[in-house]
Amino acid sequence: DAGVTQSPTHLIKTRGQQVTLRCSPKSGHDTVSWYQQALGQGPQFIFQYYEEEERQRGNFPDRFSGHQFPNYSSELNVNALLLGDSALYLCASSGVLEANEKLFFGSGTQLSVL
Amino acid sequence: AQKITQTQPGMFVQEKEAVTLDCTYDTSDPSYGLFWYKQPSSGEMIFLIYQGSYDQQNATEGRYSLNFQKARKSANLVISASQLGDSAMYFCAMREVHGSGNTGKLIFGQGTTLQVKP
C-alpha cells in the first residue's frame, strides 16, 4: 500500500519562473493539503483540496494555486517565483475513514529558487 | 488565534532513557485535536500520536505517550526507552476546528531537534 508520493524530490528554478509540484495521495484518501516548510521552521498550511475544489486556504498569495484531479491526485503551482519561495513543500492526504482524520505526509519536494 | 509553542530548540538524551518534549497551545475553541509528528532528515512527517480535547485519558502509542494537561494547555510528548533511530525533528501540531467539523489545517510549532546519544 503506497503512501503519499510527491514528485520531483528536488527542483532548482530561477526568480520569475513558474513551477508545478505533484502529489498522489495514500490509497483510499480523497483530501489533499499542501504545506510550505522553510528551513528550521514548522510547516505552514497553503491550501486543501477536496472533490476537486479548494476547500480552505492559508495566508498565501494568489501566486500559489492548485488543482485536484478526479483520481484525487493534486498539483501545486507557484508563479513568478521569489527567492523566499525556497522551501520544502509537503503534501498531506487524509480521509474520513482514518481515525481522527489524521494526515499522512509525503517526503516533500525541495524547491530552491536562485 | 490558535498557536503552538515549543520552547526547546534542541534536546539530548542517552540511549534507553526517557525524554519529554514540551508543547503548549493556545486556542479559544472547546474542541480541538493535538498531534505529534516526527521528521527525520528524509523530510517525511511521520505521525506519532493524537489527543482529542475531550479524551479523558492520555494517549499512548507504543513507546510514545502524551502528557495532556488541559487546564495548563500543555501536550508534552514522552518517549520511553530512547533509540538511536529516534534522532529527528519533532513537531507538535493542533488541528483547526470549524463549526462544520475538522479541517485539514494543522498549525505547527517550531519543532524540537532530538539527538539520542549511544
Side-chain angles (χ1 to χ4, degrees), chain B residues 8-42:
Chain B
Q8 306 156 312
M11 291 280 288
F12 288 92
V13 65
Q14 206 68 35
E15 192 179 9
K16 300 181 183 178
E17 292 186 349
V19 63
T20 297
L21 305 184
D22 294 341
C23 171
T24 57
Y25 60 91
D26 189 20
T27 181
S28 57
D29 290 317
S31 179
Y32 49 88
L34 296 161
F35 297 79
W36 277 92
Y37 281 86
K38 170 185 177 182
Q39 187 177 40
S41 56
S42 62

Side-chain angles (χ1 to χ4, degrees), chain A:
Chain A
D1 180 22
V4 179
T5 58
Q6 292 186 242
S7 63
T9 54
H10 294 83
L11 207 49
I12 299 174
K13 293 286 188 178
T14 56
R15 278 181 301 174
Q17 285 189 314
Q18 178 265 343
V19 68
T20 298
L21 311 181
R22 295 176 176 82
C23 172
S24 292
K26 186 175 185 288
S27 177
H29 287 183
D30 57 6
T31 303
V32 173
S33 302
W34 287 92
Y35 288 79
Q36 180 196 66
Q37 185 178 18
L39 189 63
Q41 304 292 316
Q44 299 288 318
F45 176 77
I46 302 174
F47 43 52
Q48 181 189 63
Y49 276 84
Y50 174 70
E51 292 187 339
E52 302 180 48
E53 291 190 356
E54 183 182 292
R55 185 162 76 170
Q56 192 180 6
R57 188 178 184 91
N59 189 24
F60 279 80
D62 292 344
R63 297 186 298 108
F64 289 78
S65 63
H67 188 77
Q68 185 179 35
F69 299 94
N71 66 353
Y72 308 121
S73 66
S74 177
E75 288 182 350
L76 164 65
N77 300 294
V78 186
N79 294 323
L81 284 167
L82 303 174
L83 296 179
D85 295 332
S86 295
L88 179 68
Y89 288 84
L90 293 164
C91 171
S93 72
S94 59
V96 294
L97 295 181
E98 290 289 349
N100 305 310
E101 293 188 51
K102 64 176 179 272
L103 300 185
F104 287 79
F105 285 82
S107 296
T109 294
Q110 185 66 54
L111 173 64
S112 298
V113 182
L114 305 178

Side-chain angles (χ1 to χ4, degrees), chain B residues 14-115:
Chain B
Q14 206 68 35
E15 192 179 9
K16 300 181 183 178
E17 292 186 349
V19 63
T20 297
L21 305 184
D22 294 341
C23 171
T24 57
Y25 60 91
D26 189 20
T27 181
S28 57
D29 290 317
S31 179
Y32 49 88
L34 296 161
F35 297 79
W36 277 92
Y37 281 86
K38 170 185 177 182
Q39 187 177 40
S41 56
S42 62
E44 181 182 359
M45 301 283 278
I46 302 168
F47 167 80
L48 295 179
I49 198 166
Y50 168 83
Q51 180 84 43
S53 58
Y54 293 118
D55 293 343
Q56 296 295 315
Q57 294 187 327
N58 287 341
T60 60
E61 293 274 356
R63 295 187 299 111
Y64 305 105
S65 61
L66 199 151
N67 184 2
F68 182 46
Q69 298 187 44
K70 196 170 182 177
R72 298 179 62 181
K73 293 189 174 180
S74 74
N76 298 339
L77 176 70
V78 180
I79 306 175
S80 62
S82 296
Q83 302 172 356
L84 296 178
D86 293 334
S87 294
M89 191 81 155
Y90 288 80
F91 288 96
C92 180
M94 177 165 55
R95 190 208 307 280
E96 189 179 77
V97 178
H98 285 168
S100 58
N102 289 336
T103 76
K105 180 179 179 180
L106 292 185
I107 298 162
F108 285 84
Q110 294 283 79
T112 296
T113 300
L114 177 66
Q115 292 191 36

